[in-house]
Amino acid sequence: MSQGTTLLISRLTTQNAGNEALSKQFLKYFVSNAGRGKVVALDRYPRYFESFSLKGLGADPIQSFDNLARELIRRFSDKSAEALPEAREGLVKLDETAKELTGFLRSVKRKVALRKTLASLLLIEKPQLLQAVTGCTSSDLIVWNPAGEIHPTGSPDQVMRLLLLLRIGQLSGRRTAVINHSLEIADERLRTLIAHVYSHLDYVGVRDAKSVEVALSLGVSKERLHESPDLVFLASREEKAREAKSQKGSIALAINGLEALSGSNEWVQFMKGLEEFKRPVVFVSNAVNHDREFSTYLAGLSSNGTVVEHQPGYIELRSFYKDCAVLVSSRLHASILALCEDTPVLSIEPSVFKLTAIFEQMDYPIKTVRLQEAAWSEKVLENIRAVINKEGPDLISEGSRALAHQVDLIDRSFRPLFSMMPGAKAA
């Protein structure tokens, strides 16, 4: 791969419309600031890496991790490897089927894992492995967009494999950066590994003030640490949806089905309370494959609930939120995309702090309600009443103000990183 190259690592194939929006905005944003430099893209890590795990690193994870990175460089860095594709929005593909294997079928798939086994033996996908490792050893700058990888219900092993790509670059003398993420780390071994890799990063970009605190506790220097809003806020620069796919005045719900029961289970009371508004209720999120089952359960508690069965792309998802009276959301990207359509958002926190911190960053006038709070359902219902009765702040104008402010913060915080890109306009 020639000099003057920036490598972008992100999810390019996904079932999540939030990741679709994020990756497209990520690629477009960096390409537009590349100047004369070349920008290429990698879809996460090669399948060969699936044979690596945190547990497999043994008693000295940092030394084992670095030894593994050096061995990968020695074996698979090849100047004759095919170049990675140039970054463009069209590389990002969304699976709209929203199919998710569950129960017995899911366990069978994991046990069989035929392609994983073949890849680990280098019987398939070796060219992709050479591409990925060579891209990391030869690109001038490597930028990883975690796309929500680091969170309590995520896979520590998947994060470890992505960190491995960055370490390969670092050990090859390349500049490295991680952007656009919250640091909600539940696994202590992963925390140790993140601290190790992050201490060698040239730029660390996190989405919220609480993640800044975590990064500092990991030993990241203040000079290299930047707080910047989620890149999905850049979608507000695009035109609004042309049509509305939900009835005007509907109440929309985007509920994280994986974490809906992480706090007090008041969903029956909440759905009963929604009946008083006598409005259609539409269930649709940026992660329908994870959320549909719980949404179907909630819709069964409603007299007028509709579950969107497929995964809308992020542009179509915005059309479902357009003209809704309000969105109640425990999904960050659903919340941002609704704000892009001037739809008021009431956020609920299912996890550690992600939504809470980002809505605080926006200075949004209605605070995030935590599912761990007692009587959270009544608090959310009170907020819905206030929105529908037009009491309190004008959430449409407040949302527009917040979007504009977030985009300005993004532009300012990314300037130092763009200046590192070879051939970039800011260089």
Side-chain angles (χ1 to χ4, degrees):
M1 187 175 294
S2 63
Q3 293 295 310
T5 301
T6 298
L7 168 58
L8 307 180
I9 303 173
S10 189
R11 286 184 181 269
L12 303 183
T13 55
T14 182
Q15 291 182 286
N16 187 311
N19 289 337
E20 178 206 21
L22 180 52
S23 290
K24 285 190 173 184
Q25 295 299 327
F26 174 41
L27 299 188
K28 182 164 66 172
Y29 195 41
F30 273 74
V31 169
S32 68
N33 284 276
R36 298 181 305 276
K38 184 178 181 181
V39 185
V40 297
L42 174 62
D43 188 358
R44 304 179 80 238
Y45 51 81
R47 200 186 300 267
Y48 180 78
F49 281 25
E50 291 183 8
S51 57
F52 308 140
S53 66
L54 274 171
K55 185 177 180 180
L57 294 178
D60 189 349
I62 291 178
Q63 186 62 50
S64 297
F65 182 77
D66 280 0
N67 288 342
L68 176 57
R70 291 189 180 95
E71 178 65 9
L72 289 168
I73 294 169
R74 185 189 67 80
R75 293 182 63 192
F76 302 117
S77 182
D78 187 343
K79 292 181 180 179
S80 65
E82 185 177 349
L84 289 164
E86 291 195 26
R88 52 187 176 82
E89 287 185 75
L91 292 178
V92 183
K93 307 296 183 184
L94 175 72
D95 178 359
E96 297 188 4
T97 62
K99 291 182 179 178
E100 186 79 358
L101 293 177
T102 58
F104 175 74
L105 290 177
R106 187 179 182 90
S107 64
V108 168
K109 180 182 177 182
R110 286 178 172 174
K111 287 180 180 179
V112 175
L114 178 60
R115 293 189 66 83
K116 172 183 173 181
T117 301
L118 293 175
S120 69
L121 298 172
L122 297 178
L123 296 176
I124 62 170
E125 301 186 12
K126 186 174 180 179
Q128 291 90 329
L129 172 61
L130 296 175
Q131 260 190 327
V133 174
T134 305
C136 291
T137 59
S138 58
S139 295
D140 297 271
L141 172 66
I142 303 166
V143 184
W144 173 38
N145 162 37
E149 295 280 2
I150 304 173
H151 61 93
T153 60
S155 166
D157 289 335
Q158 290 183 12
V159 178
M160 172 260 189
R161 296 162 194 154
L162 288 156
L163 292 170
L164 191 57
L165 290 172
L166 291 178
R167 193 64 183 138
I168 288 170
Q170 291 172 349
L171 292 173
S172 302
R174 306 302 173 180
R175 282 183 157 181
T176 54
V178 176
I179 65 165
N180 202 74
H181 65 310
S182 296
L183 283 167
E184 299 178 292
I185 311 168
D187 188 289
E188 286 303 317
R189 287 170 64 84
L190 181 61
R191 177 183 291 270
T192 299
L193 208 57
I194 288 175
H196 173 56
V197 175
Y198 277 39
S199 68
H200 295 89
L201 290 170
D202 296 277
Y203 180 103
V204 180
V206 295
R207 297 186 297 196
D208 53 80
K210 291 188 178 180
S211 291
V212 169
E213 295 175 6
V214 175
L216 291 172
S217 73
L218 294 174
V220 176
S221 67
K222 291 183 179 180
E223 293 73 21
R224 298 183 180 186
L225 182 59
H226 302 264
E227 180 185 346
S228 176
D230 192 285
L231 288 182
V232 174
F233 282 106
L234 294 176
S236 62
R237 288 175 166 167
E238 299 180 359
E239 293 183 1
K240 289 183 171 24
R242 295 183 180 179
E243 61 175 325
K245 292 198 171 182
S246 300
Q247 294 182 47
K248 189 175 181 63
S250 295
I251 297 173
L253 271 68
I255 305 302
N256 185 331
L258 299 179
E259 299 182 345
L261 300 178
S262 62
S264 175
N265 186 359
E266 301 177 19
W267 290 105
V268 172
Q269 300 96 300
F270 177 69
M271 294 307 301
K272 182 177 180 181
L274 283 184
E275 293 291 296
E276 74 173 80
F277 301 109
K278 296 181 172 54
R279 292 171 179 256
V281 180
V282 58
F283 297 84
V284 61
S285 78
N286 54 281
V288 171
N289 62 316
H290 292 316
D291 302 345
R292 182 172 53 196
E293 182 178 357
F294 191 72
S295 294
T296 301
Y297 162 70
L298 294 182
L301 302 174
S302 169
S303 62
N304 196 13
T306 301
V307 178
V308 177
E309 296 288 334
H310 73 288
Q311 177 59 70
Y314 83 98
I315 299 296
E316 184 186 5
L317 183 60
R318 288 174 55 164
S319 72
F320 278 100
Y321 298 145
K322 183 181 180 66
D323 288 352
C324 284
V326 64
L327 169 69
V328 178
S329 176
S330 59
R331 287 284 185 186
L332 173 62
H333 290 150
S335 302
I336 296 171
L337 295 171
L339 290 174
C340 290
E341 293 298 325
D342 292 335
T343 299
V345 174
L346 301 176
S347 56
I348 53 179
E349 182 67 75
S351 187
V352 182
F353 61 76
K354 182 171 66 177
L355 273 87
T356 302
I358 290 177
F359 273 83
E360 286 177 354
Q361 181 188 71
M362 286 193 288
D363 195 25
Y364 201 68
I366 296 187
K367 292 183 177 181
T368 301
V369 175
R370 292 182 57 80
L371 292 181
Q372 291 76 18
E373 296 178 27
W376 66 259
S377 58
E378 184 53 40
K379 293 175 185 176
V380 176
L381 290 168
E382 288 175 4
N383 288 336
I384 295 174
R385 292 186 196 102
V387 172
I388 289 176
N389 295 330
K390 301 188 183 305
E391 300 170 352
D394 180 354
L395 293 187
I396 293 178
S397 62
E398 286 293 318
S400 296
R401 173 202 57 76
L403 289 176
H405 180 61
Q406 297 299 84
V407 169
D408 181 60
L409 288 176
I410 290 171
D411 286 337
R412 282 189 277 153
S413 62
F414 272 82
R415 284 173 193 154
L417 181 53
F418 289 146
S419 70
M420 298 179 195
M421 295 176 69
K425 297 174 184 178

